[in-house]
Amino acid sequence: MTSVPRSASPLFLSLCSLLPLILSLPALAADCVSYEEHQHWVSTVETVGQAKDNVVSGGLAYIADGPEGLLIVDVSDPSFPFEVGQVEIGGDATRLTLVGDFAYICIGSDGLAVVDATNPAGPSLVTTIATGAVTSDVDSFGSLLAVAVSTGEVRFYDAGTPGSLTLLGTVDTPGIANAVALSGSHAFVADGVSGLQVIDVSDPSTPLLVGNLGGLGVTQAVAVDAVAVDDATAYITAFDTGMYLIDVADPTQPTQIALVPMIGQGEMFGVAVSGDYAYVPTNTGAMHTVDVSDPPSSNIQASIRTPGGTVSIVEPFAFVSDQSYGMQIFSIQTPAVVSPLGSVDTPSWATRLWVEDDLAYVADHHGGLQIADVSDPATATLIGAVSLPGETRDVQVQGSVAYVANSSNGLQLVDVTDPTSPTLLGSAAVTGLAKGVAVSGNLAFVACDAAGLQVVDVSSPSSPFVVGVVDTPAFAVGVLTRNDLSDDLVFVADRQGGVHVVDVSTPSAPFIVGTVDTPGEAWAMQWAGDFLLVADDLQGVQVVDVTVPSAPSIAANIDIRGQTFDLAVVGDIAYVADNAGTIVVVDVSDPLDAMIVGGTEVSGSTTSVFATQGLVATCVGPFGLNLFPPQCGASTTVPGDDRVTSSFGNPSIEVFPNPFVESVTVRLRGETGVGSRLAVFDATGRRIRTLRGRDEAGFSPIVEWDGRDDVGRAVAPGMYFVRSEASSGWSTARVLRLR
């Protein structure tokens, strides 16, 4: 796994190009905001191959997954997508369309694959149609199929007989036919440097080129917002240029209406239109929401980070095929993201921070300790600084003293009585590299990387000294205590070593009393009631039960899109920083049933976040700080009781006891006859146990799950999902297995 970057990656630098757009959005005037009402990431479908295209229909997402073929995912509950079926198709699946229960999939130079998906759990390859060249795109309108071939040919097939294709006609285009969209009696082709080509297919056996518009750059994707071709607009993207709106009411004379510029944003393989908005993912890291209600004045309303690919829209969600990043699902119910209230640039690289009394104290890497006045976020400004040797990595303020983890230079104590003129009080040399710090009373606890945890006596700020050391097996980077240290316990985030519980009742002789091995790399921790929330790198947030300090255990997991490096908790709301350039807002009123509320975009990769009742501040490396409003109250999505978590339609489901140790009882209500299914999924969405298949009859409404998978293996402690599906709807219950 990777560590927090010290230098910007190519993806990070490309994301930086979006900074002017993000920061140009108007600041919010309210004291708080409902993050759930703005665009935000909802969930990720991780795929084995490369998610290159998707079509969403009937609660199912059909994903062209590169060399892995066709993947079918249940997205009826977008917050909990799970795999239904998969089939390899003998080639690299790149684009697809649906006609009834059949999927037609481009497989590069291998032509076009036809897949019977009548049974989504068991899709099967019917046949492969040779095209003689690389198939670039495929689209359908009714039973007519259009296939774009890279040699500049578009083929038209009759797909009226399920699973069988009859070639009706072909037409050559002057370019390379990158993409095709069918609407009524016309096909619209993004033809590379030859721009837009319009084909009359009123008689598919003799398709005719009837119109074109050049001078658009290298065109890559096309969508047509049309029910009748005499009142239509074509939306066509061009590499490194943007999205053109083309009037095709007269197909023989397509006319440019407007260009929405996206200069320098690389490939734009997808465009989708829904209502008054067009959605364009770019491979420089954003999906743009474009207001097209007034075509000549079309403009970008919001941008949300995602590596970019193709996109499908099923209101109020966008499904983005993100290649090696899988398929991302976003809420798009409003065309806006939560914009920052303000920002503060710092001289070096903002790494971590502490906010207190309207002042932000920033560990600024080679910039020492920077202090900013954030009382008015819109006019936040640096007011003081103290230069420190080496790399400044973390800071905590207690009273008038800032305690700074200063890497190879140990712990620095800074007098911040006058924040405009902070002065160095003293320092304590430590073994190793000081990466994190927590203070309680007269003791400071320093996470010292490979040198473990070191306890520093700070009763005399001018002469602090190390009084105790405990080694940890990996790299101690984060440290946390309870408010008053009344339990004499300190918690250490030890990256690959997980989280350690350290007894410091005798400061000169600290010792580890318990350890929990997290699946990722533990970077930072915060409290949510009596549970410990752990920022666990690529594995999101782990919810750790530390009720028994000698035997801490993972009780649940909160999936986060990118690498999770830090988090902050205020009341029932957690703000999670990930390196995808987002802050994810999570309702943790019940840590065992935490729910993502929303999120927002920041101006760079986030490594730290600090929240108060009135402000959320995040470190964004070379861009300093971004300042956001807090979530208003708790989530508007109210969790159910311990038995039922979510449902749609007639069926409902209860599980008890919850949590459980050996077995759990599942009770179904509503439709439970033939055609319903009951299964158990793990936290990644993988089905591990089928309790009832769709074709079983005479099924009791009460079932017991023995905590084992389909091959009889006992499942590990953690969060699982029991899901019931019937023709009248679905229901999902979360259940926690304890040790």
Side-chain angles (χ1 to χ4, degrees), residues 422-470:
T423 57
L424 185 64
L425 288 172
S427 63
V430 299
T431 305
L433 304 174
K435 295 290 185 70
V437 61
V439 183
S440 182
N442 290 324
L443 295 175
F445 304 94
V446 185
C448 292
D449 204 55
L453 177 72
Q454 306 200 18
V455 184
V456 180
D457 186 323
V458 294
S459 56
S460 175
S462 61
S463 55
F465 60 95
V466 175
V467 295
V469 176
V470 59

Side-chain angles (χ1 to χ4, degrees), residues 171-224:
V171 64
D172 290 331
T173 64
I176 58 174
N178 281 324
V180 61
L182 279 170
S183 180
S185 58
H186 289 81
F188 301 85
V189 181
D191 203 34
V193 295
S194 296
L196 174 68
Q197 305 295 324
V198 185
I199 304 170
D200 186 331
V201 292
S202 53
D203 180 358
S205 64
T206 57
L208 298 172
L209 282 173
V210 295
N212 68 85
L213 181 65
L216 305 179
V218 181
T219 55
Q220 296 185 304
V222 61
V224 180

Side-chain angles (χ1 to χ4, degrees), residues 205-269:
S205 64
T206 57
L208 298 172
L209 282 173
V210 295
N212 68 85
L213 181 65
L216 305 179
V218 181
T219 55
Q220 296 185 304
V222 61
V224 180
D225 179 22
V227 177
V229 76
D230 61 351
D231 183 18
T233 302
Y235 302 82
I236 188 165
T237 64
F239 172 79
D240 246 1
T241 302
M243 182 186 74
Y244 290 93
L245 285 78
I246 311 296
D247 184 344
V248 291
D250 179 357
T252 66
Q253 296 290 330
T255 306
Q256 180 176 326
I257 301 171
L259 167 65
V260 180
M262 301 171 194
I263 306 300
Q265 295 189 33
E267 310 281 2
M268 302 173 200
F269 290 128

Side-chain angles (χ1 to χ4, degrees), residues 121-166:
S124 59
L125 178 64
V126 176
T127 188
T128 299
I129 307 297
T131 56
V134 174
T135 50
S136 305
D137 195 18
V138 59
D139 195 26
S140 58
F141 189 87
S143 61
L144 181 64
L145 207 68
V147 179
V149 181
S150 63
T151 52
E153 180 185 56
V154 181
R155 298 185 171 199
F156 298 95
Y157 294 87
D158 181 358
T161 302
S164 175
L165 290 180
T166 301

Side-chain angles (χ1 to χ4, degrees), residues 47-108:
T47 65
V48 177
Q50 289 197 324
K52 296 184 177 182
D53 194 18
N54 75 83
V55 174
V56 179
S57 176
L60 296 174
Y62 301 80
I63 302 172
D65 197 30
E68 297 299 314
L70 175 67
L71 176 67
I72 303 177
V73 176
D74 188 319
V75 292
S76 56
D77 177 1
S79 64
F80 179 52
F82 59 92
E83 180 179 336
V84 174
Q86 184 267 344
V87 60
E88 294 184 5
I89 54 179
D92 186 24
T94 58
R95 296 291 185 270
L96 80 161
T97 191
L98 293 180
V99 179
D101 291 326
F102 287 79
Y104 299 88
I105 308 168
C106 296
I107 49 175

Side-chain angles (χ1 to χ4, degrees), residues 102 143 320 339 402 612 623 655 659 696:
F102 287 79
S143 61
V320 182
S339 53
T612 68
F623 301 115
V655 289
E696 296 180 36

